[in-house]
Amino acid sequence: MTVYSIIVALGVVATALFIAGFARGLRNAIAEYRSAQPEPNEVPSDTFSVTAAISVVASSIVIALAGFSPKFIYLGPFLVLGTAAACGLAFFLEKRAKR
Amino acid sequence: MDKSIFTTNAALTPALGYSTMIGLGLFSLALAYIVRLYLVRNTHDFIIADRRIGFGFGVGSVIAVWTWAMAVMMSSAMTYQWGLSGLFWFVVPNGIAVMAMVPFARILRRNMPEGYTISEFIALRFQQSKVATGIVTVTMVFGIILEILINLKGTSVVVSTVFSIDWRVATIVGIVCVLAYSYFGGLWTSVMTGTLNTLMITVPAAIVVVAVYDRIPGGAEAVFSAVGAADQRNLSVLRPDAAAGFGITLAFGLLAATVADQTFWQKVWAIKSRDVSRTFLWAGALFYPIPICLGMLGLVGIGYGLVPSDFGGDIAAVGPYIVSHIGLPLTLILLYVLVILAACYSTIDGASAALSSIVAVDIVKRYFPGTSESKLFVITKLSVLAGGVIATVIVLAGIDFTTLVLTTYALKTSVLLPLVFAILWPRTNTIGFVGGIVLAILIGMPIYQFVGELSGTLAIVAISGLTVIVAGLLKPQAFDIASLKDANGATSAPTAGE
């Protein structure tokens, strides 16, 4: 199996997850708007500095690795599919609106 | 590696180019119709989406507005110019700039839960100072117009290059497509189409980049060897000349592009309060792979020994040139064009939505508080068209917009630290805020123009920050940011359900 066919297959999976999430998000948004329930104004105090630092270091390492072996040139394309999948996943982490 | 692999594809006709542009516009228009039907009834919905944007739409839309058409191309261009060091300095500050919004967003959303714009915060923070508010409002408007025209220009260049369309016609078709759907649903439309555009940017980017390497005899191994043979420094991320050449200047510019930009502040107040912080964190982290992936096209350019004259002289065109000339199937070339169009459309509609919030809150309701809701709704929607028309006229007139770029850069970079201090440091006063911005422009910009970008940027940041600190120490104010909650009632912002 070539890298290209793996990327296409994973791309289809990421797209499916994204679209499923988008559809859920759209239904949620309309249901919430119709319910007219007031949204709470609390902003959580979670600190994200460690996660942010990890993502910065990880991205730097991914770029640096492309200078060590040609295999790592393909890391970017695989990771960008992760971006699409994670965006889809984000919709499923939302609280479902009451209908 | 043999450059003769690059040939023109005769199937890329103007008709195909128009179909791609208009097709994406019509698809977005259909979505905008659904949004208009179910989610938008008044100005409040139009400019702030009733503060109900959830986590998924938040993440997707922030990534989309941050992925400019030029960013898609510049990631390849910077890699082509500086090797992996160029990609490193282009990519790393980009994600940090988005995540840097988290602490500021958290403070203002918590203390000013009913906010709409950053100028509105400045008005409340500095006792309705017309000068302070005016400077910030003008900065935001300039920034938005610039976002629209740069994306419009970038797209027209790519579409005209790939499909041999007159760039002026491409500009008009592009802006009509975006404004047609942006006009209907405001922020909700921008958020939903932007989220879908994130899908259209990511998956096609992965497929196209791998397809390009698949097409090259010897694949990634051949490119890797040729890049190293051209100059071993291309494979290192530690070139100091890349940092000094553009990296540090870009880092400050990018920070100013988020923290001093209403496009992002509008989302701070529109996303559900419990999701604001994690939205910007996820968006920043998930943005990283996009330029990393597209940057790999720059290595192909180095590997083949392409020179700027091969693709019209502008290094931004290296990615589009490789994709459209290396012999990929037509579908894949169209996918790449879709990546650029999606990046362009989502940034323009995000900027247009931000402009509508400024017009409604910082201009109409501030200076004409008696305006009725129905009139305000119409004006707000028309402002979306006005921003697009102004940007289009500037692009079509062929005016060198270097002056606009420099003015916006000066304003945004000068506003950055004073704004940060205004949020974080209670002692910040009006004199320090205004003085910091004015002095930074008066002294820093000549340094920027006559000494160099790096010295100028550092001077602007240092002068603006130091002025705020000195003024705050000499005449300290004791501002209680929690008082913004009480002041919210005084804000002349549009209200829901009017």
Side-chain angles (χ1 to χ4, degrees):
Chain A
M1 211 174 181
T2 62
V3 179
Y4 181 72
S5 15
I6 296 171
I7 279 282
V8 171
L10 290 177
V12 170
V13 174
T15 304
L17 181 59
F18 191 105
I19 290 173
F22 187 92
R24 184 183 193 273
L26 182 59
R27 283 196 305 270
N28 230 8
I30 294 171
E32 282 181 357
Y33 189 77
R34 283 181 173 164
S35 76
Q37 295 274 328
E39 270 295 316
N41 268 332
E42 291 137 30
V43 181
S45 300
D46 319 338
T47 51
F48 295 116
S49 43
V50 175
T51 320
I54 290 171
S55 74
V56 173
V57 173
S59 65
S60 309
I61 291 172
V62 168
I63 297 169
L65 283 174
F68 284 99
S69 164
K71 287 191 180 74
F72 293 116
I73 285 177
Y74 293 109
L75 259 182
F78 279 105
L79 287 173
V80 85
L81 293 180
T83 295
C87 283
L89 179 70
F91 286 102
F92 291 96
L93 298 179
E94 288 176 10
K95 212 171 81 178
R96 189 187 282 272
K98 285 177 188 159
R99 293 183 171 84
Chain B
M1 297 178 81
D2 185 5
K3 272 203 308 192
S4 64
I5 193 172
F6 295 102
T7 51
T8 308
N9 188 328
L12 294 167
T13 59
L16 200 55
Y18 290 128
S19 309
T20 313
M21 293 178 88
I22 295 169
L24 183 58
L26 286 176
F27 175 73
S28 301
L29 186 61
L31 192 60
Y33 179 72
I34 296 171
V35 168
R36 177 72 187 91
L37 207 60
Y38 292 107
L39 294 167
V40 181
R41 286 179 199 151
N42 51 35
T43 314
H44 179 81
D45 296 336
F46 193 86
I47 65 172
I48 213 76
D50 201 23
R51 305 185 201 284
R52 287 178 188 276
I53 294 175
F55 185 43
F57 284 125
V59 173
S61 62
V62 171
I63 292 175
V65 293
W66 193 229
T67 311
W68 289 29
M70 289 304 277
V72 170
M73 295 184 278
M74 288 309 286
S75 48
S76 315
M78 290 298 103
T79 313
Y80 168 73
Q81 189 171 21
W82 302 96
L84 291 176
S85 293
L87 186 61
F88 175 86
W89 278 103
F90 183 80
V91 168
V92 173
N94 254 295
I96 293 175
V98 177
M99 292 186 281
M101 282 296 289
V102 172
F104 310 118
R106 183 185 294 153
I107 291 171
L108 286 199
R109 187 63 199 269
R110 186 177 288 153
N111 291 287
M112 197 178 157
E114 304 299 321
Y116 289 85
T117 69
I118 194 66
S119 306
E120 189 189 9
F121 159 70
I122 292 299
L124 294 171
R125 176 68 176 78
F126 296 115
Q127 299 80 43
Q128 304 293 334
S129 161
K130 284 199 167 77
V131 181
T133 315
I135 289 174
V136 173
T137 305
V138 167
T139 304
M140 298 304 144
V141 172
F142 269 52
I144 287 167
I145 299 292
L146 191 67
E147 277 173 44
I148 297 174
L149 73 85
I150 283 183
N151 278 280
L152 204 53
K153 180 74 182 171
T155 308
S156 71
V157 167
V158 171
V159 172
S160 59
T161 306
V162 175
F163 298 104
S164 309
I165 294 174
D166 184 309
W167 67 269
R168 285 169 288 254
V169 182
T171 304
I172 293 169
V173 173
I175 197 69
V176 168
C177 287
V178 183
L179 294 183
Y181 71 82
S182 301
Y183 177 80
F184 288 105
L187 184 60
W188 261 126
T189 301
S190 163
V191 160
M192 289 197 184
T193 53
T195 302
L196 276 179
N197 283 338
T198 295
L199 174 67
M200 291 186 224
I201 291 166
T202 50
V203 175
I207 293 172
V208 168
V209 170
V210 171
V212 165
Y213 275 91
D214 211 35
R215 175 88 183 94
I216 297 166
E221 284 81 4
V223 173
F224 184 84
S225 304
V227 169
D231 186 342
Q232 202 56 40
R233 293 182 305 163
N234 286 330
L235 295 172
S236 163
V237 294
L238 301 172
R239 282 178 69 169
D241 52 343
F246 82 98
I248 298 169
T249 313
L250 179 74
F252 281 113
L254 289 172
L255 274 176
T258 53
V259 177
D261 192 325
Q262 173 60 16
T263 310
F264 289 86
W265 284 108
Q266 184 185 30
K267 289 187 170 57
V268 166
W269 278 296
I271 292 168
K272 290 174 184 171
S273 55
R274 63 171 175 268
D275 292 326
V276 168
S277 302
R278 65 173 181 162
T279 294
F280 283 93
L281 177 83
W282 275 53
L286 292 174
F287 170 83
Y288 277 130
I290 298 171
I292 292 177
C293 172
L294 291 159
M296 295 306 146
L297 293 175
L299 294 181
V300 176
I302 300 172
Y304 273 104
L306 295 179
V307 290
S309 58
D310 288 330
F311 40 84
D314 184 352
I315 62 165
V318 69
Y321 176 79
I322 290 168
V323 173
S324 58
H325 287 74
I326 204 165
L328 292 183
L330 186 62
T331 326
L332 291 180
I333 299 173
L334 290 178
L335 269 184
Y336 181 74
V337 174
L338 197 65
V339 170
I340 293 173
L341 285 181
C344 163
Y345 284 17
S346 55
T347 306
I348 293 179
D349 70 35
S352 302
L355 182 63
S356 70
S357 66
I358 292 173
V359 169
V361 177
D362 299 322
I363 297 174
V364 178
K365 289 300 269 184
R366 184 171 297 151
Y367 297 105
F368 310 97
T371 309
S372 67
E373 161 60 19
S374 55
K375 207 176 263 178
L376 179 66
F377 197 21
V378 173
I379 294 170
T380 305
K381 290 172 81 173
L382 288 176
S383 69
V384 169
L385 302 183
V389 169
I390 291 169
T392 308
V393 168
I394 296 173
V395 173
L396 290 181
I399 299 167
D400 176 13
F401 41 83
T402 311
T403 311
L404 181 61
V405 171
L406 277 178
T407 311
T408 307
Y409 179 84
L411 281 168
K412 280 196 156 190
T413 317
S414 310
V415 164
L416 176 63
L417 272 192
L419 180 59
V420 166
F421 278 116
I423 297 170
L424 298 179
W425 198 40
R427 286 183 168 208
T428 307
N429 59 35
T430 314
I431 295 170
F433 183 83
V434 174
I437 297 168
V438 172
L439 285 178
I441 293 172
L442 290 180
I443 303 170
M445 273 318 280
I447 298 175
Y448 184 93
Q449 282 192 292
F450 298 114
V451 180
E453 286 184 12
L454 182 58
S455 316
T457 302
L458 294 175
I460 289 172
V461 173
I463 292 166
S464 62
L466 281 174
T467 310
V468 175
I469 293 170
V470 170
L473 292 174
L474 289 176
K475 199 180 172 191
Q477 202 185 37
F479 183 77
D480 178 12
I481 199 149
S483 67
L484 290 172
K485 280 182 185 161
D486 307 326
N488 269 346
T491 322
S492 54
T495 51
E498 274 185 67

